Amino acid sequence: MQWVYSDKPGLTWRHVGMVLLFNAAIGLVLCLLNFAYNPGARSSQFGLYLLANMIYAQLIGCTAAFSIPWLAVRIWRLPKVTMWLVYIASLVAVAAIGTLLAVGGLLAVGIISSREFWPQFVGSVRTATLITIIVGIASFVIETLRHRVEHTTLELKQQQLERERAQKLMLEARLSSLQSRLQPHFLFNTINSILSMIRDEPKGAEEMLQRLARLLRFALDSQERSTVSLGEEMKLVSDYLEIERTRFGQRLTFSIDMDHEAMNCELPPYALQTLVENSMKYAIAPKREGGRIGIIVQRENGWLEVIVEDDGPGFSRDELSEGHGLDTLEKRLALLYGGSGLLSIEGNKVRLRLPVGVPA
């Protein structure tokens, strides 16, 4: 009585053939047992025994195989006790109906007379019920285990796909961030600023070169990592802001309010950097007078909270387009943290809230 554990079970010729073959095997085994343990049986009666047991096996087996699966997929979500009571009661009913059909089959082919119909039914229904319950429970347990294995396999595949998507998004974010630093005007302005400092401020020029080198090194070193420490990310952001301050001069001011207990917390690479770049692009660069960026980092009650605020015009979540830096960051958070990683936009303030620790 093999069946497919599905909300919409469908019969196929292969399924029907397997059911008939399984029933035939049961009928043959029952025939051999009845014939062997019946002292009055003669070899000439073997064919009659075989026919009678095949009628029983096929009619009872097919009744169970084509009705119980339909019922099982509709009751397996019930509370366990209720489900088993309904299932076993159904097996008893199926055994009784199948036995009734089988005895009718024996009457039709002339193996028994009409007077023997009910005595034959009463004598057979107990054995049929016992076999139906044993096979039915075994089938249910086997199919349930198979369903769980398939469900687990599907979940593992889904998790693998989610990890691949997360890696793809992180790679895109790294490439996008790296590209923004390697744009010709960015490199030209940075190098030009360094050249102008070499004669009068050689130490400052050397520091700028070191910052630029650290930016590029971070981009390469973080390629195989899903998270970095907040301390590493903060060094990246500090170098980036110092380089931008060289470019913008007094037009750019920034402040960092840092909870040093949060330095070892983990977050995705370029998470904080993305927020800062967003402020540079939309709040500082467009304004002739420049502007201010404020960064606040705090750890509280198992959460890491990062706030980046500027004095730009602000924007709403509805203005985020596909591929926007914050849109990409939000997708990365959803894949890495599920519903635990939150990104909120409050006008000219963007808040990032993550659970402390490395995501699974």
Side-chain angles (χ1 to χ4, degrees), residues 135-154:
V135 175
I137 291 177
S139 297
F140 191 93
V141 171
I142 291 171
E143 289 296 325
T144 300
L145 293 175
R146 186 171 67 86
H147 172 73
R148 289 177 180 173
V149 170
E150 291 178 353
H151 183 69
T152 302
T153 302
L154 183 62

Side-chain angles (χ1 to χ4, degrees), residues 165-177 268-272 274-275 277-278 282 315 317 319-337 341 343 345 352:
R165 287 177 57 197
Q167 291 172 359
K168 181 180 178 181
L169 286 170
M170 285 186 289
L171 179 59
E172 290 175 352
R174 284 194 292 267
L175 292 176
S176 176
S177 185
Y270 298 109
L272 175 55
T274 299
L275 305 186
E277 285 187 0
N278 181 75
Y282 295 102
F315 61 100
R317 179 178 295 275
E319 297 177 60
L320 290 185
S321 59
E322 184 74 22
H324 189 284
L326 296 184
D327 174 69
T328 301
L329 175 59
E330 192 168 44
K331 291 178 179 177
R332 292 168 63 201
L333 296 178
L335 291 171
L336 287 170
Y337 298 94
L343 178 69
I345 301 172
L352 181 64

Side-chain angles (χ1 to χ4, degrees), residues 113-134:
S113 64
S114 57
R115 288 182 300 175
E116 298 174 298
F117 184 90
W118 289 112
Q120 184 70 26
F121 172 80
V122 173
S124 302
V125 73
R126 291 191 295 269
T127 303
T129 300
L130 177 62
I131 295 174
T132 302
I133 289 176
I134 292 174

Side-chain angles (χ1 to χ4, degrees), residues 71 74-90 140:
L71 173 68
R74 286 162 176 79
I75 67 170
W76 71 281
R77 291 187 178 91
L78 295 175
K80 186 170 293 186
V81 174
T82 303
M83 183 270 293
W84 278 111
L85 289 175
V86 173
Y87 187 65
I88 292 175
S90 301
F140 191 93

Side-chain angles (χ1 to χ4, degrees), residues 38 66 120 187 229 231 244 316 321 327:
N38 189 346
F66 300 134
Q120 184 70 26
L187 284 177
S229 70
E244 292 289 40
S316 66
S321 59
D327 174 69

